[in-house]
Amino acid sequence: MKKLFSAYLLFSAIMLSAQFEQSNLYAANSLTSNLSIDDDSQPDSYASIFKPVEETFEEAAAKNNVTYRTFIDLPSTPNGYYVISGTYSKDSKRDQALKKLKKKGFAPGSVKNLSNNLNYVYLEYYVDWKKAIEVCTNKFDGRYKNDVWVMQVKNSDQPINLPQASKPNASEIYQLSNPISDLDLDYDEPTPTNTLKETVNKSKLIQKADLYFDKMWYAEAANLYEEALLKGEKYYTSDIIQKAADSYYYNTNMEKAYEWYNILYENYGKELSADNMFKYAHTLKGTGKYGRSKRLMKLYNKKIANNATISNASNIAIPNEVVLDNILAATNDKIEVKNLDINSEYSDFSPMFLDSSQVVFASAQDSSFLHTRKYKWNDQPYLDLYVAKLNEESHDLKDAMKFSKKINTKYHEASVAFSPDNSTMYFTRNNYGKKLKRDKNGVNNLKIYKSHKIEDEWSEAVELPFASDDYSIGHPALSPDGKQLYFISDMPGTMGATDLFVVDVLENNSFSEPRNLGPEINTDKREMFPYFNGEKLYFSSDGHTGLGGLDIFEASYSEDEGFGTPTNIGQPINSNKDDFSYIVDEESQKGFFASNREGGKGDDDIYSFENLLLEEVPANINAIAGVVTELVTGDLMPKALIELLDENNVKLKEIETTDDGSFIFEDLDSNTKYSIRANKNQYFENIITANTRENDTINSDISLKRLEELIAVVDGVKKLKTEMIHFDFDKSYIRTDAAIELDKMVAVMNEYPNMVIKIESHTDSRGSRVYNEYLSDKRAKSSRDYLIKQGIAPERIESAIGYGEARLINECNGTVKCTEQAHYLNRRSEFIITKM
């Protein structure tokens, strides 16, 4: 999730406090790589110099159809061969690409070319060109299917180094004594090697890492522990390895956490502490090793069964491995899950319905113009509340903007709930008045605050009376009638790291005493992010059996019996990562949740979901359906915006095409004329008409043309190629058909903001030469004025000149008899590109 709660609840970047190990607000991992000398790059002996002449890199690249470029002007970049996956002008796009590649298991990095300010993102770096050629030809053993090319760097002033990824990982430095197969559930327990030292003289690097760890700056701590441990086994103590594993665990880097917990397990086996065994089992699930995770959970259950102090020990007899098998087998293929366009490269989570057309959510997206304050737990900006518009048809969120300035502060705000009449809101914030407040241990806890809406603005927020400086409360959720407020806390009496509580909302702004929801709901781990619709309680937990990380659970409710046994809502909502902050409209079976699963845009992303129930088929089948394709290639076009218009061009509905480029508008009036308008970035808008028939589906396929296809070279001159811009005889006004073509030019020039053009206008040969030159000049300037009126900057139109009849395109020069159509072709304007 990248990481929930600091002063412990740190709502997805906020958890409850340093003293509770299960709290985790995740960190963005460093995208830069440290370098180390590649000793193997040197000849084995002098004799190796006298080998026969071998094939060169250039020859091998040509033979294997590998594209390459050689750079000799990158003085700060080590010599070698970089397998490039993409080139980016914006740093944000570069960083996003690096994160995606890292999630796919590569060791990416980037090279900045200061001469053109482009960022070249590479998957791997090699000193040996043969290895670079090999991975390009075999597509990294099939792991990367997109096109790549090789950047050869020569004459650098930097030593030949290998990036951090070329260093051995933890399991390579520390050889496992008893590797375990994930398919073997009956493997023998490893014999504890107990080779880890208990203490070591701590270097300044370890001391600095410990300082960061104690401050809960887990991103920085993980990097420093890893740097020290990769120097060799002299730093391999149980304390340092556990802190390295914990640092990655609290930032939800399950792959790296697994490496270090695995070393602890190899040394201690069954003697591993219950807490470490639980986290190790979660990293196994988080990396897809479900067989081994089942085995470890068995050991964990046995261990805590013997611990009489565990308050819910009576529950551990549940056969977790059987429950997990049932969850894995119960994938609901009727649920459609989509990642939203609103997501940023940072953490976005905790959506909540404001009304039928708006959703409020928390985000750490960087909206600062000058200096962004970073939260040290996960090296992200502080959280704020945002509000976005909800498109009911596409179920997407758009046009996000910051919520009230009265609510957002320079610290964290997240996890909001609204009263039924939207006049009162509850939200989570750091314990903050004029300055941050801390408990006796120096921990800044979280509190729930309340604000009332006065006219169109929210009032100054006040903390709830049962909040405390000594513990955290957060993640508010109201019952549909507004009479119960659910929340999470680590207050005295909590059974686990965080529990779910409820209070009654009384008159006169008062509340009952908090009540713990009890062992049926709460475990000795984390429960959080409640959402109650009157019939079901939804929440996230890593204490109940799940797929890994936080999973979403539901518990039915009745006034007579209270809450039932929680059940895992299964895939595809839950994954082997953190899944949380689930909300749903039970009537439409549509909702939202957050997850840090693979394939997202940032740390935590918000996803929409829809339960595609059979009963949602409309009563009538008056429908218009179609497929959107690219005009030239015929490629299917997912996520194109499709609008349904009536005869007066009033928009009735809008949807996005699915992954196969299809769309359908259902439940329409029969025997009615509609218009279908299709849009997508970098393509021209296209509009077609369709007439519905009684109880029938009309097929209306649409093709879109790329904007760049309007750029063409004609007789050696680069032009904006459109239909001819024609004028009526002896006129200079812009006709309707000409306006359509000029609008296309506006679209292309908006797509290419550096494009500069010049306009040349021409007449036929009829009339005097002087008048024709005057008329054509008016036509050129009329075209120029139209483009400027549509928003094109005047300086982007280099000139607008009329040439009269001096540049006819046919023989109609007044000496031969021509038809009106032949003269018509000469009355035109042309648009020549002078700069791109």
Side-chain angles (χ1 to χ4, degrees):
M1 181 172 57
K2 304 246 165 85
K3 254 5 226 172
L4 313 162
F5 339 93
S6 154
Y8 177 69
L9 323 140
L10 273 194
F11 6 136
S12 192
I14 307 180
M15 282 277 31
L16 273 166
S17 86
Q19 54 206 9
F20 298 99
E21 291 184 343
Q22 303 303 327
S23 60
N24 39 15
L25 190 81
Y26 296 18
N29 294 316
S30 172
L31 297 174
T32 58
S33 297
N34 294 325
L35 304 179
S36 64
I37 298 295
D38 177 21
D39 295 326
D40 295 333
S41 64
Q42 303 302 321
D44 292 333
S45 68
Y46 287 110
S48 64
I49 301 175
F50 299 101
K51 293 178 180 178
V53 177
E54 295 183 350
E55 184 179 41
T56 67
F57 163 71
E58 290 79 5
E59 292 169 342
K63 183 175 71 176
N64 290 280
N65 294 320
V66 174
T67 302
Y68 72 94
R69 290 177 62 190
T70 301
F71 290 76
I72 59 175
D73 57 347
L74 301 176
S76 61
T77 304
N79 290 326
Y81 303 87
Y82 301 77
V83 181
I84 305 297
S85 62
T87 305
Y88 304 91
S89 59
K90 295 183 178 179
D91 290 352
S92 59
K93 295 292 185 182
R94 172 203 63 195
D95 294 344
Q96 187 176 353
L98 287 167
K99 287 186 179 182
K100 288 183 179 179
L101 292 173
K102 193 165 187 178
K103 287 182 179 179
K104 291 181 180 179
F106 292 98
S110 68
V111 174
K112 184 84 167 184
N113 188 347
L114 297 179
S115 65
N116 57 16
N117 284 323
L118 292 179
N119 298 288
Y120 300 91
V121 171
Y122 59 86
L123 294 100
E124 301 280 0
Y125 163 75
Y126 302 97
V127 172
D128 183 358
W129 61 260
K130 294 178 181 178
K131 184 62 177 176
I133 295 292
E134 177 185 349
V135 297
C136 287
T137 54
N138 66 23
K139 296 285 188 179
F140 290 90
D141 294 324
R143 292 190 299 130
Y144 192 79
K145 298 181 179 180
N146 296 336
D147 291 336
V148 296
W149 58 277
V150 176
M151 171 191 284
Q152 180 187 25
V153 177
K154 288 184 175 181
N155 301 331
S156 172
D157 59 359
Q158 296 294 306
I160 295 177
N161 292 328
L162 284 179
Q164 177 70 37
S166 298
K167 293 183 179 180
N169 60 26
S171 61
E172 291 170 332
I173 290 179
Y174 184 90
Q175 296 298 320
L176 301 181
S177 60
N178 186 18
I180 301 170
S181 169
D182 185 41
L183 301 177
D184 181 10
L185 300 184
D186 297 317
Y187 61 82
D188 294 330
E189 290 303 315
T191 302
T193 60
N194 293 321
T195 59
L196 296 183
K197 292 173 282 191
E198 292 302 317
T199 61
V200 67
N201 291 328
K202 293 187 177 181
S203 66
K204 290 183 178 180
L205 186 65
I206 293 295
Q207 293 176 38
K208 188 175 182 180
D210 286 346
L211 177 64
Y212 286 165
F213 187 89
D214 293 339
K215 288 184 175 182
M216 299 186 292
W217 295 1
Y218 295 122
E220 289 90 343
N223 289 335
L224 295 181
Y225 285 128
E226 179 96 355
E227 183 180 344
L229 289 165
L230 290 178
K231 289 182 177 180
E233 295 185 19
K234 66 178 181 178
Y235 290 111
Y236 274 52
T237 70
S238 57
D239 177 65
I240 292 175
I241 290 178
Q242 177 175 324
K243 285 181 176 178
D246 287 348
S247 295
Y248 284 119
Y249 183 85
Y250 294 153
N251 283 292
T252 318
N253 187 336
M254 292 300 176
E255 290 79 7
K256 295 298 295 183
Y258 160 72
E259 285 186 21
W260 298 111
Y261 284 133
N262 196 63
I263 290 175
L264 289 177
Y265 183 61
E266 286 296 312
N267 274 268
Y268 295 103
K270 292 181 180 180
E271 301 305 313
L272 192 67
S273 71
D275 184 62
N276 282 332
M277 193 170 287
F278 178 86
K279 288 184 284 190
Y280 180 43
H282 265 246
T283 65
L284 289 168
K285 279 196 280 187
T287 52
K289 302 174 179 67
Y290 289 111
R292 293 175 64 182
S293 178
K294 290 180 186 179
R295 176 64 170 164
L296 264 294
M297 285 307 294
K298 283 183 179 180
L299 295 176
Y300 171 75
N301 287 339
K302 290 178 182 179
K303 186 175 288 287
I304 65 172
N306 297 324
N307 187 347
T309 64
I310 301 295
S311 58
N312 65 341
S314 59
N315 293 332
I316 55 97
I318 298 174
N320 290 335
E321 63 276 9
V322 176
V323 176
L324 179 58
D325 283 339
N326 292 336
I327 296 170
L328 290 169
T331 300
N332 188 345
D333 57 8
K334 293 283 196 308
I335 294 180
E336 182 179 56
V337 173
K338 293 181 180 179
N339 188 293
L340 301 184
D341 292 337
I342 206 75
N343 290 315
S344 69
E345 62 180 302
Y346 296 108
S347 190
D348 306 279
F349 67 102
S350 203
M352 180 55 64
F353 299 113
L354 174 58
D355 51 39
S356 61
S357 63
Q358 297 181 96
V359 169
V360 175
F361 64 99
S363 177
Q365 61 183 268
D366 187 357
S367 58
S368 172
F369 290 103
L370 299 176
H371 178 66
T372 300
R373 301 177 65 256
K374 296 286 186 75
Y375 181 55
K376 289 297 184 179
W377 187 309
N378 64 351
D379 198 34
Q380 291 192 19
Y382 277 78
L383 294 163
D384 276 330
L385 293 174
Y386 289 76
V387 60
K389 295 178 182 178
L390 170 61
N391 185 312
E392 292 188 26
E393 289 293 331
S394 65
H395 203 52
D396 202 352
L397 300 179
K398 297 182 178 181
D399 303 329
M401 58 186 298
K402 279 200 173 184
F403 201 66
S404 169
K405 294 181 180 179
K406 290 279 190 178
I407 303 301
N408 286 326
T409 67
K410 61 182 179 179
Y411 294 106
H412 285 303
E413 284 80 29
S415 302
V416 64
F418 296 96
S419 63
D421 61 0
N422 280 340
S423 64
T424 303
M425 67 177 291
Y426 300 86
F427 64 95
T428 314
R429 178 191 283 170
N430 295 89
N431 184 4
Y432 169 69
K434 293 183 179 180
K435 62 180 182 178
L436 287 177
K437 301 177 183 178
R438 302 183 184 276
D439 64 13
K440 60 184 179 180
N441 296 317
V443 174
N444 170 243
N445 289 301
L446 300 187
K447 294 183 177 181
I448 297 176
Y449 290 78
K450 180 174 69 170
S451 174
H452 296 287
K453 197 168 190 179
I454 302 174
E455 295 182 351
D456 293 328
E457 187 53 271
W458 293 97
S459 65
E460 200 71 38
V462 296
E463 66 183 65
L464 296 189
F466 52 89
S468 171
D469 294 343
D470 298 325
Y471 54 79
S472 286
I473 62 172
H475 301 186
L478 279 168
S479 60
D481 59 9
K483 294 182 179 180
Q484 283 83 39
L485 178 68
Y486 294 83
F487 61 95
I488 74 166
S489 180
D490 62 342
M491 66 175 60
T494 300
M495 302 169 59
T498 52
D499 282 1
L500 298 185
F501 291 80
V502 65
V503 294
D504 298 321
V505 181
L506 307 174
E507 296 180 357
N508 301 321
N509 295 318
S510 60
F511 300 85
S512 68
E513 290 295 319
R515 303 187 297 277
N516 190 300
L517 294 192
E520 192 72 20
I521 299 295
N522 293 315
T523 68
D524 63 322
K525 302 301 177 185
R526 296 180 299 168
E527 279 68 48
M528 55 187 64
F529 292 103
Y531 177 73
F532 184 52
N533 64 14
E535 297 179 356
K536 291 181 180 179
L537 172 69
Y538 296 94
F539 63 96
S540 291
S541 172
D542 60 3
H544 296 281
T545 303
L547 300 176
L550 290 168
D551 272 19
I552 298 166
F553 295 81
E554 66 177 17
S556 59
Y557 175 79
S558 69
E559 291 188 7
D560 295 333
E561 299 181 5
F563 291 107
T565 301
T567 59
N568 190 301
I569 66 174
Q571 300 178 104
I573 300 294
N574 285 325
S575 68
N576 64 349
K577 302 295 184 182
D578 282 335
D579 308 290
F580 56 102
S581 62
Y582 175 98
I583 62 174
V584 63
D585 181 337
E586 293 289 351
E587 183 176 348
S588 68
Q589 285 296 292
K590 295 180 180 180
F592 300 93
F593 68 99
S595 176
N596 67 329
R597 64 187 59 192
E598 299 293 337
K601 297 177 182 177
D603 290 339
D604 303 317
D605 279 0
I606 300 174
Y607 292 79
S608 68
F609 68 88
E610 179 178 0
N611 200 341
L612 306 176
L613 301 176
L614 294 177
E615 54 266 31
E616 289 185 356
V617 176
N620 70 64
I621 57 173
N622 303 329
I624 299 173
V627 175
V628 180
T629 56
E630 203 275 336
L631 179 64
V632 176
T633 65
D635 292 341
L636 300 174
M637 297 188 63
K639 291 205 170 185
L641 179 65
I642 311 298
E643 297 173 309
L644 179 72
L645 312 174
D646 66 12
E647 286 188 286
N648 298 315
N649 284 328
V650 175
K651 184 171 69 174
L652 305 176
K653 299 179 180 180
E654 70 174 39
I655 57 176
E656 284 186 342
T657 54
T658 59
D659 290 341
D660 61 2
S662 64
F663 68 90
I664 185 169
F665 291 108
E666 299 175 302
D667 198 20
L668 304 179
D669 295 335
S670 61
N671 302 313
T672 302
K673 181 179 179 181
Y674 293 94
S675 293
I676 308 296
R677 180 163 60 199
N679 282 289
K680 190 170 184 180
N681 290 340
Q682 300 179 341
Y683 291 84
F684 288 109
E685 176 187 282
N686 193 8
I687 301 178
I688 62 173
T689 59
N691 292 286
T692 57
R693 292 195 293 263
E694 185 72 34
N695 288 328
D696 196 4
T697 298
I698 304 302
N699 186 64
S700 298
D701 293 340
I702 305 176
S703 294
L704 296 181
K705 183 177 181 181
R706 286 185 177 274
L707 293 173
E708 64 186 26
E709 290 177 7
L710 239 63
I711 301 173
V713 178
V714 180
D715 296 329
V717 179
K718 189 178 290 186
K719 296 182 179 181
L720 283 174
K721 186 180 179 182
T722 67
E723 299 297 327
M724 285 290 189
I725 304 296
H726 292 295
F727 296 88
D728 289 334
F729 177 69
D730 203 29
K731 303 294 182 183
S732 61
Y733 64 83
I734 302 298
R735 302 184 341 180
T736 301
D737 59 340
I740 293 174
E741 297 306 312
L742 288 171
D743 286 341
K744 293 179 181 179
M745 295 180 195
V746 171
V748 175
M749 293 186 74
N750 284 335
E751 185 66 26
Y752 297 89
N754 294 323
M755 179 183 288
V756 177
I757 66 171
K758 63 179 180 180
I759 303 173
E760 296 181 350
S761 188
H762 309 274
T763 68
D764 59 31
S765 61
R766 294 176 293 184
S768 71
R769 283 183 173 273
V770 173
Y771 177 74
N772 283 341
E773 187 173 333
Y774 162 78
L775 178 61
S776 63
D777 201 60
K778 286 188 63 178
R779 289 175 174 175
K781 290 174 172 53
S782 179
S783 299
R784 177 198 63 190
D785 294 344
Y786 183 89
L787 295 178
I788 292 173
K789 188 176 180 181
Q790 302 308 310
I792 300 301
E795 59 269 20
R796 296 181 63 193
I797 303 175
E798 186 177 286
S799 62
I801 302 173
Y803 291 90
E805 59 188 86
R807 299 181 181 181
L808 302 175
I809 61 174
N810 55 33
E811 71 281 2
C812 299
N813 59 5
T815 62
V816 297
K817 186 177 180 179
C818 289
T819 64
E820 177 59 32
Q821 180 61 30
H823 283 299
Y824 180 80
L825 294 175
N826 287 317
R827 300 195 299 269
R828 69 200 188 278
S829 285
E830 296 178 324
F831 302 84
I832 299 167
I833 300 171
T834 62
K835 181 182 177 182
M836 283 288 286

